[in-house]
Amino acid sequence: MSRFACFFIAAAMLSGFFPAAQAQHGTLTVFAAASMKNALDDVDAAFRAKTGIRVVASYAASSVLARQLEQGAPADVFVSADTDWMDYAVAGKSIDEPTRVNLLGNAIVLIAPNDSKIATVAIGPGFDLARLAGDGRIATGDVKAVPVGKYAKAALEKLGAWNAAAPKFAFADNVRAALLLVSRGEAALGIVYATDAKADPGVRIIGTFPADSHPPIVYPVAATAAAKAGTADYVAFLRSRAAKTIFEKYGFRFLVRPSA
C-alpha cells in the first residue's frame, strides 16, 4: 500500500469518514443490571442484526458494576437497576451525564417454588411475611447495596413486616442469584423483580408489592465517560420502538417516548 493510501485511511478514520463502529472493531461493552439479562440479550441481538455491531454484556448487581466503573473497568454503557448507583457513577465521573435517561420500570414480587403449597397472598399493611415463611428462608438481594434488596427492605418497612422477617432472610449478590435459591427450593420465598419471576419457570408469583410501598423502580441508562464513538447509536437503539417491543415482552415498563 502506498504512503498516500495509508495517510488517506488514517485521516478518514480520524475525521469520521468511516463508521465509528468499524473504527472501533465493531464491538461495544455494556455493564447491565443482572435482572436485564434475558431482555437485553434479545435487544443486543436485534441491534447487531441491524448494524453489524457486536455487544458484549456483563451482568451483575448494579452496585458491583458501578464500583468496577469507578476502578476503571472498560465499558461503553451502564444500565443500573436504580437511580442511586447511576448517581454514584455520575459523582465518580464514570458517566457521560448528558446521555443519561430513565429507560425502564419494573415491580417487585413475592415468589415461591413452583411446587410450594403456599397460596397467593394479598400484600398490604400488616402483611406477616415472617409467618408466611415459617421455618424457611426468604431470598433477595443484599439490602445494603443490591437494588432489589433495597426496594424489598423499603417495602417491608413501610408495611410493618421487616423487623419480624429480617432474621429469615438469605441475602444474595444479585437478583438472579436470589431467584435461583427459590427456583432450586433452597429458599421458601423470595423477593425479586416481576421480570425475573417471569423468566424462570421454576418459580411462581404469589404476591405483588404495592407500587407505593417502595421508591419507584427505575432503570437509568447512560454512556460512560470512556465510551467509544459509536456508543450513541446503541443508546439511541435502546430507546427505539424495536427495543420497546422486546423490553415489554419481558415485562418491563418503557418510560420514554420511543424513537423510530
Side-chain angles (χ1 to χ4, degrees):
M1 183 181 294
S2 71
R3 182 178 303 175
F4 175 81
C6 291
F7 173 81
F8 173 78
I9 291 172
M13 291 179 69
L14 288 172
S15 66
F17 180 81
F18 291 139
Q22 180 177 334
Q24 298 293 342
H25 309 296
T27 302
L28 296 174
T29 301
V30 177
F31 279 8
S35 54
M36 296 192 68
K37 178 170 172 48
N38 300 71
L40 196 61
D41 281 351
D42 282 3
V43 169
D44 291 346
F47 178 72
R48 184 173 188 179
K50 180 179 179 180
T51 66
I53 301 170
R54 186 168 71 98
V55 180
V56 177
S58 178
Y59 297 104
S62 301
S63 52
V64 170
L65 298 172
R67 288 168 177 151
Q68 288 178 350
L69 287 174
E70 182 181 37
Q71 294 164 9
D76 302 296
V77 176
F78 177 40
V79 191
S80 173
D82 71 358
T83 57
D84 289 348
W85 285 109
M86 184 61 80
D87 290 344
Y88 180 93
V90 168
K93 302 189 184 305
S94 302
I95 294 300
D96 180 8
E97 189 171 7
T99 67
R100 176 177 176 171
V101 62
N102 290 338
L103 184 68
L104 302 171
N106 211 332
I108 52 171
V109 297
L110 185 65
I111 59 171
N114 254 342
D115 59 358
S116 172
K117 293 181 172 58
I118 299 176
T120 301
V121 295
I123 300 177
F127 172 57
D128 194 345
L129 180 60
R131 181 178 179 182
L132 189 67
D135 295 330
R137 305 289 282 173
I138 308 164
T140 196
D142 180 356
V143 297
K144 294 181 180 179
V146 179
V148 73
K150 293 162 61 182
Y151 292 128
K153 183 180 179 183
L156 292 172
E157 285 181 332
K158 186 164 185 179
L159 297 172
W162 173 252
N163 288 338
K168 297 179 180 290
F169 270 90
F171 298 126
D173 291 338
N174 60 67
V175 68
R176 287 302 174 95
L179 179 70
L180 193 59
L181 288 174
V182 182
S183 183
R184 289 177 173 174
E186 296 172 21
L189 298 169
I191 301 176
V192 299
Y193 298 115
T195 51
D196 294 299
K198 186 176 181 179
D200 191 331
V203 305
R204 58 186 175 85
I205 296 173
I206 61 171
T208 299
F209 286 84
D212 63 359
S213 67
H214 54 78
I217 299 174
V218 175
Y219 288 66
V221 58
T224 67
K228 300 185 186 75
T231 302
D233 290 340
Y234 177 77
V235 175
F237 186 78
L238 293 180
R239 302 181 60 171
S240 70
R241 293 187 185 279
K244 177 178 185 290
T245 298
I246 296 170
F247 283 127
E248 289 182 341
K249 180 181 76 171
Y250 283 94
F252 288 98
R253 288 185 297 111
F254 209 67
L255 302 182
V256 296
R257 182 185 297 274
S259 58

